[in-house]
Amino acid sequence: GSSAIISDDDWYDYVKLIARFLVCSGYKGMLVLIDELVNLYKIPNAITRQYNYEKILTMYNDTLQGKAQYLGMIMGGTPTSIEDRRRGVFSYEALRSRLAQGRFAREDLKDMLAPIIRLQPLTYEELLVLIEKLMQIHAGYFGWTPTLTENDLVDFLKIEFGRVGADTHLTPREVIRDFIELLDILCQNPDANVAELLQSVGGDALAPAAATGDTGAADGDRNFAEFTI
C-alpha cells in the first residue's frame, strides 16, 4: 500500500480515523485534550487564526451531526482567548453565535451541558483540601510522617494569599510549588520547626528593618517590603 503524509489539511480526518480504530480494538472511544488555546489567540496573522477557528467550527459541527463518532474533544483556554471579539475564538462569528452563553444562565445556575463551561478559581477551602491530599501523597511516597497541623496548613495558605496581587494572579500551580518545597524541606530536615519556617516568609520577617537590623527605615518603605530584588 501507499504511504501517506499527514498535513495541516487532513490531520483532523486522521484523528477521527484513529478514534474509529481504537473502537475496533475494544475501547469505547478516544478523548483528545487540547490545552493553551490562547496560543491561537496569539497568532499574529489573522488569516492563520481564522483557519484554526474554522477547524474548531468543523469539529463542533461534526459533533452535532454525528460525523465524529467515538471522538471527544476538550479544549482549555483563558476567557480572553475565547471571548475577545478581535482575535479570540469569538472573532469568528460562526463560532461566537454557536458558543456564546444564552440568556438564562447565571453565576449560581450554570448549564453544564453547554459547549463552554466557565471554570471558577479554586476557593480557599478547596485549596486547603488539595494541599492536605498532597501532604498525604508526599508522605506516602517518601515514607515520612508530616508534623504539619491543620492550623499550619491554614497559615500556609494565608501566606500565599497575602502576596501582592494574589487576588488576581495566584494560581494553584504556585501554591502547589511552594507547598511541595515546604514538604521537601521538612522531610529532609526532621528537626525543622514548621511555625518558624512559615514565619520566616510571612509577616514582619519580610520588612527591610527586620531583615537588616536597620531600625531607621521610613514607614513608607514598609509598603514595598515584599519587592525584593
Side-chain angles (χ1 to χ4, degrees):
S2 60
S3 61
I5 297 176
I6 301 174
S7 67
D8 287 347
D9 296 325
D10 57 8
W11 66 266
Y12 174 55
D13 294 322
Y14 280 97
V15 169
K16 290 193 287 187
L17 187 63
I18 293 171
R20 177 69 70 169
F21 169 77
L22 289 173
V23 171
C24 293
S25 301
Y27 293 92
K28 295 291 185 180
M30 182 171 73
L31 182 63
V32 177
L33 306 177
I34 302 176
D35 199 8
E36 300 291 352
L37 210 60
V38 70
N39 286 310
L40 299 184
Y41 170 84
K42 291 179 179 178
I43 294 174
N45 187 289
I47 296 176
T48 305
R49 284 199 310 271
Q50 294 296 299
Y51 172 80
N52 280 278
Y53 293 150
E54 183 180 0
K55 188 64 70 174
I56 293 177
L57 176 63
T58 300
M59 297 174 185
Y60 179 85
N61 288 336
D62 281 2
T63 301
L64 293 182
Q65 297 166 10
K67 297 178 181 177
Q69 290 182 325
Y70 313 114
L71 176 63
M73 306 287 294
I74 297 179
M75 303 181 185
T78 61
T80 300
S81 68
I82 303 295
E83 299 170 355
D84 186 90
R85 295 291 296 273
R86 190 171 60 90
R87 299 179 60 163
V89 173
F90 282 9
S91 67
Y92 197 82
E93 180 57 32
L95 277 175
R96 189 201 66 79
S97 61
R98 288 165 170 80
L99 302 179
Q101 184 172 279
R103 300 177 181 178
F104 296 99
R106 303 192 317 238
E107 192 66 32
D108 58 330
L109 293 173
K110 296 180 180 179
D111 178 10
M112 299 303 288
L113 295 176
I116 290 182
I117 300 175
R118 287 167 173 79
L119 303 178
Q120 297 301 313
L122 292 179
T123 64
Y124 194 96
E125 291 76 14
E126 288 168 336
L127 280 172
L128 181 60
V129 173
L130 174 62
I131 62 174
E132 201 170 22
K133 300 291 186 186
L134 286 174
M135 181 173 65
Q136 295 169 3
I137 294 171
H138 193 282
Y141 184 80
F142 289 104
W144 69 296
T145 304
T147 57
L148 290 94
T149 65
E150 186 168 340
N151 285 336
D152 291 330
L153 300 183
V154 170
D155 288 342
F156 166 80
L157 287 180
K158 284 180 179 177
I159 292 170
E160 293 292 301
F161 278 87
R163 290 184 192 176
V164 174
D167 53 338
T168 55
H169 291 93
L170 184 65
T171 64
R173 178 186 298 166
E174 292 171 290
V175 174
I176 292 170
R177 179 201 63 204
D178 288 354
F179 189 65
I180 294 299
E181 181 183 62
L182 176 64
L183 292 177
D184 285 345
I185 291 172
L186 292 173
C187 176
Q188 297 168 64
N189 302 273
D191 297 330
N193 186 293
V194 177
E196 286 181 3
L197 264 175
L198 293 174
Q199 190 176 6
S200 68
V201 294
D204 293 335
L206 288 171
T212 63
D214 179 11
T215 57
D219 289 341
D221 291 341
R222 297 184 185 278
N223 294 329
F224 307 98
E226 291 193 36
F227 289 89
T228 302
I229 298 176

